[in-house]
Amino acid sequence: MAQSMSEITLKQETLDRLDQLRVDDEPYDEIVNELINIYEAEELSLYRVGDEF
């Protein structure tokens, strides 16, 4: 089953920051998706490290 992203409204400042991350006119949804994946991976890593203490 395909997941669809919710529609969001971004401030111009946020769009400017996303533009700095774009590669070859990559669509914004791909950048946001990539950032979410990075965030989730880091969160999972922190959760696992916390279990070791």
Side-chain angles (χ1 to χ4, degrees), residues 16-27:
D16 292 342
R17 291 179 72 185
L18 288 174
D19 281 337
Q20 294 173 2
L21 299 173
R22 292 173 83 185
V23 176
D24 299 326
D25 294 325
E26 180 180 24

Side-chain angles (χ1 to χ4, degrees), residues 22-51:
R22 292 173 83 185
V23 176
D24 299 326
D25 294 325
E26 180 180 24
Y28 290 117
D29 60 339
E30 287 183 24
I31 297 170
V32 171
N33 213 5
E34 196 171 324
L35 291 171
I36 290 170
N37 289 338
I38 291 168
Y39 173 79
E40 288 175 345
E42 288 180 2
E43 185 179 75
L44 183 57
S45 295
L46 289 174
Y47 178 75
R48 288 185 179 162
V49 168
D51 286 346

